[in-house]
């Protein structure tokens, strides 16, 4: 399948916890996509992503907020039990998965602790902010590790990622349920501007056609948001008077 799509999806958080979750998801996706560390350049990108993830995890109560959301999603599913014709087997299956993710997250050590305590990761993190600071004479430990058999490096990476699994699995399920909670609806912006209410929402999802070469500049919080569409080519691009796009408020 071609990577070229006629539309592009933008997501914008409406509160701080969602902002943090989207950043963690972004970093975890990079880590899983970079796990075959066959070259030093790839390895340094991996370690820099690990360092970014640890920085994000140290800033807030990620585990607490995720556990609250897992419980909230269970309560939302319970509310569906009284709806005529609802698939109770699916409801119970999802509730079981939410309970499993919650138990695993609650039982896990401090998020990212295994990565913080790893000697190689610690050494690389100390050198990442120094220009060229991870070259072989500055960091011979990394140089030696990169010359170990590929299967040894693969085993180290697999262990690091496995330590993040409770976080990753909980986050995947929470974000998936939140994204599914708001259907896409067609909207029209006038002269490149659109605004509406977002009472109780966590996330805006916006789907745009690629042809006009526009991108959204979104400002918003938990009760209201505004979207301004801007041309990618700031000098010659044009914003149509009426622009159709799809929007989901989740």
């Amino acid at each position: 399948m071609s990577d070229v799509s006629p539309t592009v999806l933008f997501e914008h958080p409406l509160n701080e916890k969602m902002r943090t979750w989207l950043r963690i998801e972004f970093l975890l996706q990079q880590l899983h996509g970079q796990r075959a560390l066959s070259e030093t350049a790839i390895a340094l990108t991996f370690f820099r992503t690990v360092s970014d993830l640890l920085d994000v995890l140290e800033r807030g109560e990620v585990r607490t907020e995720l556990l609250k959301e897992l419980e909230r999603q269970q309560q939302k599913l319970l509310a569906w039990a009284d709806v005529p014709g609802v698939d109770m087997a699916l409801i119970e299956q999802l509730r079981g998965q939410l309970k499993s993710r919650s138990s695993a997250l609650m039982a896990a050590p401090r998020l990212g602790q295994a990565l913080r305590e790893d000697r190689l990761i610690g050494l690389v993190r100390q050198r990442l902010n120094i220009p060229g600071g991870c070259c072989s004479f500055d960091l011979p430990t990394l140089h030696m590790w990169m010359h170990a058999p590929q299967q040894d490096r693969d085993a180290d990476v697999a262990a690091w990622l496995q330590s993040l699994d409770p976080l990753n699995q909980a986050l995947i399920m929470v974000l998936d349920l939140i994204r599914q909670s708001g259907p896409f609806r067609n909207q029209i912006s006038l002269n490149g501007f659109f605004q509406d209410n977002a009472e109780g929402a966590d996330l805006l999802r916006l789907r745009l056609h690629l042809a006009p070469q526009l991108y959204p500049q979104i400002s918003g919080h938990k009760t209201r948001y505004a979207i301004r569409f801007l041309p990618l080519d700031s000098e010659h691009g044009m914003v149509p008077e009426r622009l159709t796009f799809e929007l989901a408020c989740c």
Side-chain angles (χ1 to χ4, degrees):
M1 180 179 294
S2 173
D3 291 333
V4 178
S5 170
T7 62
V8 60
L9 177 67
F10 294 89
E11 293 187 326
H12 186 82
L14 294 174
N15 51 53
E16 193 56 36
K17 72 175 183 181
M18 180 57 66
R19 189 183 308 276
T20 299
W21 292 348
L22 290 179
R23 285 175 174 160
I24 293 174
E25 178 192 46
F26 176 66
L27 293 169
L28 287 171
Q29 288 173 346
Q30 290 181 65
L31 290 179
H32 282 271
Q34 299 163 353
R35 57 190 307 159
L37 308 187
S38 56
E39 300 175 8
T40 300
I42 300 172
L44 287 177
T45 301
F46 179 89
F47 287 122
R48 190 174 297 279
T49 306
V50 168
S51 184
D52 287 348
L53 177 62
L54 292 177
D55 287 345
V56 174
L57 291 177
E58 288 169 359
R59 291 175 191 164
E61 298 295 327
V62 176
R63 189 206 305 261
T64 301
E65 292 294 342
L66 274 175
L67 287 171
K68 288 180 181 177
E69 186 62 30
L70 288 165
E71 177 62 30
R72 186 173 79 94
Q73 291 295 336
Q74 290 186 57
Q75 296 304 316
K76 286 179 68 175
L77 287 172
L78 272 178
W80 281 94
D82 297 328
V83 177
V86 72
D87 186 344
M88 284 305 300
L90 178 59
I91 295 294
E92 289 304 318
Q93 178 186 350
L94 289 172
R95 289 191 64 225
Q97 291 176 2
L98 286 166
K99 288 179 180 178
S100 175
R101 302 290 193 276
S102 182
S103 297
L105 185 61
M106 196 176 300
R110 183 186 175 199
L111 297 181
Q113 189 63 26
L115 303 181
R116 291 186 191 90
E117 294 176 349
D118 187 89
R119 181 171 177 270
L120 178 61
I121 291 176
L123 288 171
V124 175
R125 286 188 79 193
Q126 292 174 13
R127 310 293 302 182
L128 283 174
N129 290 329
I130 301 172
C134 293
C135 59
S136 60
F137 64 84
D138 276 320
L139 205 51
T141 308
L142 175 64
H143 190 60
M144 284 295 297
W145 187 75
M146 289 305 303
H147 282 79
Q150 182 67 50
Q151 59 265 29
D152 291 352
R153 292 198 300 279
D154 290 346
D156 287 339
V157 172
W160 293 332
L161 295 181
Q162 186 176 9
S163 73
L164 296 169
D165 200 52
L167 167 65
N168 192 33
Q169 293 302 316
L171 189 63
I172 286 173
M173 188 162 193
V174 160
L175 290 178
D176 188 47
L177 289 172
I178 289 174
R179 284 168 172 142
Q180 292 183 41
S181 69
F184 280 100
R185 294 186 172 90
N186 288 327
Q187 305 288 356
I188 298 175
S189 76
L190 299 177
N191 297 314
F193 185 76
F194 181 87
Q195 64 179 355
D196 203 353
N197 296 320
E199 191 67 43
D202 294 306
L203 178 68
L204 288 181
R205 309 184 76 211
L206 190 153
R207 190 178 287 144
L208 266 180
H209 285 284
L210 284 173
Q213 288 291 283
L214 302 173
Y215 66 92
Q217 188 178 75
I218 304 172
S219 58
H221 48 81
K222 61 183 179 179
T223 59
R224 193 162 183 81
Y225 62 90
I227 305 171
R228 187 170 296 281
F229 294 95
L230 302 172
L232 196 58
D233 184 344
S234 58
E235 292 186 11
H236 305 104
M238 299 290 291
V239 179
E241 182 178 342
R242 296 171 66 87
L243 175 70
T244 301
F245 62 97
E246 293 179 87
L247 183 69
C249 196
C250 308

